[in-house]
Amino acid sequence: MPSHEQLSELIDPATTVLLTVECQQGVVGADSALPELAKEARSSGALANVARLVAAAHASGVQVVHAIAERRPDGRGANRNARLFHVAERLPVQQLSGTSAVRVAAPIEVSEEDFVVRRLHGLSPIQGTDVDPLLRNLGCRTLVVTGVSANVAIPNAVFDAVNRGYTAVVPTDAIAGVPSDYTPAMIRNTLALVATLTTTADLLACLNRRPRG
């Protein structure tokens, strides 16, 4: 992991964006469509760590973007080309546009300055969404990736960020996947090759010393 000085160089509020991935009520909330994932996100402390990072980002002037996955009630435009999508269609809780399932979950707080980017298709919070154009217009160079799941959306977001020229930073205790032992293996064997790995505590140490100007 990088030293405090190295991490501080990367985490410049003017060029850093914090991305939360699928931290929505229907995924990590009490009435999740994926209760095993929701339990892991909460019991591991990952969701609480995301909330701590979001609060620190708000205080230090770092832009926050919330990436939300949802679908229309009629399912039009949604993918059906992978097993995951067919399984999702049969879940008791649906991530339907306009419902509580697609609201950002507590304890994460959304400020008026945050962007909430919603996608109706695909697996990535970046590819085919407004996230990349927003990042470029914001002058982003470092993208901090948090949320769920370590199985699909988190590595997808990191790969897409790196492919687009951003430096991806992943606080390893602010992401979650299932089963619980999969996440550290994925971090060690995949994300370590392409992202700068850190912890919530180390990121907070950088953010908390940079009060909003």
Side-chain angles (χ1 to χ4, degrees):
M1 290 191 181
S3 67
H4 177 75
E5 291 72 20
Q6 291 170 326
L7 190 60
S8 293
E9 289 182 5
L10 287 177
I11 307 300
D12 178 351
T15 57
T16 299
V17 172
L18 173 64
L19 178 70
T20 76
V21 178
E22 296 182 26
C23 292
Q24 56 203 74
Q25 292 185 29
V27 176
V28 296
D31 298 319
S32 171
L34 303 163
E36 183 182 3
L37 178 59
K39 180 180 179 181
E40 178 63 24
R42 291 178 176 275
S43 64
S44 68
L47 188 61
N49 284 335
V50 175
R52 293 168 66 202
L53 288 168
V54 168
H58 290 159
S60 62
V62 168
Q63 179 67 55
V64 178
V65 177
H66 305 280
I68 302 295
E70 60 182 52
R71 58 185 285 123
R72 288 167 47 120
D74 61 11
R76 295 186 66 187
N79 287 66
R80 293 183 175 82
N81 58 336
R83 177 170 171 256
L84 176 64
F85 302 121
H86 294 288
V87 171
E89 287 180 343
R90 298 193 296 271
L91 292 174
V93 177
Q94 294 290 307
Q95 314 300 319
L96 300 181
S97 302
T99 68
S100 61
V102 296
R103 294 176 189 161
V104 175
I108 298 169
E109 294 188 0
V110 181
S111 81
E112 292 184 358
E113 295 177 346
D114 293 358
F115 288 99
V116 179
V117 178
R118 305 179 182 278
R119 77 176 194 272
L120 292 170
H121 60 85
L123 299 170
S124 173
I126 297 178
Q127 170 66 33
T129 75
D130 287 339
V131 170
D132 184 41
L134 288 174
L135 296 181
R136 297 199 180 280
N137 290 344
L138 291 164
C140 176
R141 299 178 66 180
T142 299
L143 183 66
V144 180
V145 180
T146 66
V148 297
S149 73
N151 304 76
V152 178
I154 294 299
N156 217 320
V158 170
F159 294 152
D160 286 347
V162 172
N163 285 333
R164 285 162 175 75
Y166 304 106
T167 296
V169 173
V170 178
T172 58
D173 54 354
I175 65 172
V178 290
S180 58
D181 59 357
Y182 176 76
T183 301
M186 188 277 296
I187 291 170
R188 183 174 60 254
N189 295 297
T190 302
L191 295 189
L193 304 176
V194 293
T196 297
L197 304 182
T198 187
T199 64
T200 296
D202 285 348
L203 265 181
L204 289 174
C206 292
L207 293 172
N208 289 339
R209 62 193 293 265
R210 296 177 184 271
R212 182 188 293 271

